Amino acid sequence: MTNATVEPDEATRLRNKVVDELCADGTISSPEIEAVMRRVPRHEFTPGARLEKAYDTYAAVITKTDEHGMQLSSVSAPQIQAMMLEQARLLPGMKVLEIGSGGLNAAYLAELVGQDGEVVTVDIDSIVTGRARRLLDEHGYDQVRVVTADAAEPIPDLGAVDVVLVTVGAWDIPPAWISQLKQGGRLVVPLRMRGLTRSVAFTQVTGEQGDYLESESARICGFVAMQGSAAHREELLLINGTPEIGLKFDDGLPADPHRLDNAVTHPRYELWTGVTVGLQELLDTLQMTMAISLPGFCTMAVDEDLDTGLVAPTNKRFTLAAVEDDTFGYLVTRRTEDNKHVEYGVHALGPNAKQLVYKVADVLHDWEGNRRGGPSPVIRVYPANTSDDQIKTDRVIDKVHSRISLSWPSA
């Protein structure tokens, strides 16, 4: 469908290299998606980016930031785009709503649903939709409808769609996304749960108590956050009253955060757990085990310019952590002697540091014995007014418009 003329040989080579890598690592499994990603000239939808950057298999191209450098818009990495297209299970003739525009992904969608299908792409930013409209027209995708709107609200004159594909990070599931789906339709969305983001492919399920969404797959990902009425920011708790140590909570601060005021005046308690992982091992189930098992789960970041050594995380920008009353703890790692693995440890500070360290260590051992290498938890989305007795789950996360449950599959 693209009407691009002669491309540089290097662009074609790099594009094929990206697709070859994604086929080899299993991200691409369908010949239709492979063909589309080989055909559409990705670099022409990332104006201003060097070819090598446009065709970096695992990196996004940032297209807009605010005055503070916060990312507002991007073209997702090829690996993420291919992963979500596979999750969407698109077929010729389908009608698709894309939330979060840019042009390139809409071009992929138009190719996959064909002339008998329909693609509507929506973004809240008129600059983004203007660029998407121009790029789509330049490459022969004038049949794609581009809309500037807050996609958390119903899209006028849309009708029912087969697939809603969200390409911005979402904290909640607005009712409009579900109401615009055909019965049995699919919602693919980068959903943030307790500070962890997963690209989740949902299908509609009809139960005794009504309809809900249930996950078919969930993959680790990262996305620019939604703007508009569905925007949501994590809450930051500064330990010791300075920006040196920050704990980030996705669903509200602890009931009495001031109980942590004196935590750093206590000696740091440390424990190595004996739990080791390979350097390339996927740790999605470890993260979710902690998020489900620890009520005070959060993430920790340390300001490198203010770091006094009170805490010693392996990664100062993002560390899995937990709070319990007047004490906080976090994970650390160290290389093993063979230099092919890392061992997990736990640090904690506060009056009850030893108890929290062993509690977190127990969660790690539970993951090692029962969850490691297994399936992700099943994620279900219920209306916000659903009662507890209608939800069988290991953890419920209450949002504004929905209640999200996380449950481990039966053995």
Side-chain angles (χ1 to χ4, degrees), residues 104-233:
L104 176 60
N105 208 58
Y108 291 149
L109 295 172
E111 293 277 358
L112 289 167
V113 302
Q115 293 290 351
D116 295 330
E118 186 177 348
V119 176
V120 179
T121 182
V122 182
D123 200 280
I124 198 170
D125 189 330
S126 61
I127 295 176
V128 172
T129 53
R131 182 176 64 244
R133 178 74 277 163
R134 175 177 59 80
L135 292 170
L136 288 165
D137 288 346
E138 287 177 358
H139 291 83
Y141 299 102
D142 54 315
Q143 81 278 23
V144 174
R145 180 184 168 199
V146 180
V147 178
T148 304
D150 185 341
E153 305 299 328
I155 306 302
D157 305 317
L158 177 67
V161 301
D162 298 283
V163 176
V164 174
L165 181 63
V166 184
T167 58
V168 288
W171 179 78
D172 199 358
I173 305 293
W177 297 356
I178 300 174
S179 65
Q180 292 169 138
L181 272 181
K182 293 180 181 178
Q183 188 65 35
R186 297 176 69 79
L187 168 65
V188 180
V189 54
L191 182 62
R192 199 169 82 233
M193 300 160 288
R194 311 211 79 196
L196 305 175
T197 302
R198 300 291 185 267
S199 175
V200 187
F202 288 108
T203 57
Q204 288 183 316
V205 176
T206 299
E208 294 181 1
Q209 308 296 333
D211 293 346
Y212 60 91
L213 299 177
E214 183 169 298
S215 63
E216 280 192 356
S217 63
R219 306 282 186 264
I220 290 179
C221 65
F223 270 86
V224 173
M226 284 196 73
Q227 303 176 54
S229 61
H232 180 85
R233 291 186 179 274

Side-chain angles (χ1 to χ4, degrees), residues 272 275-280 314 332-345:
W272 291 103
V275 176
T276 61
V277 299
L279 296 180
Q280 302 300 321
T314 311
V332 293
T333 61
R334 64 182 179 186
R335 289 289 183 102
T336 55
E337 289 185 3
D338 64 7
N339 209 34
K340 296 179 181 179
H341 300 78
V342 295
E343 178 186 6
Y344 274 104

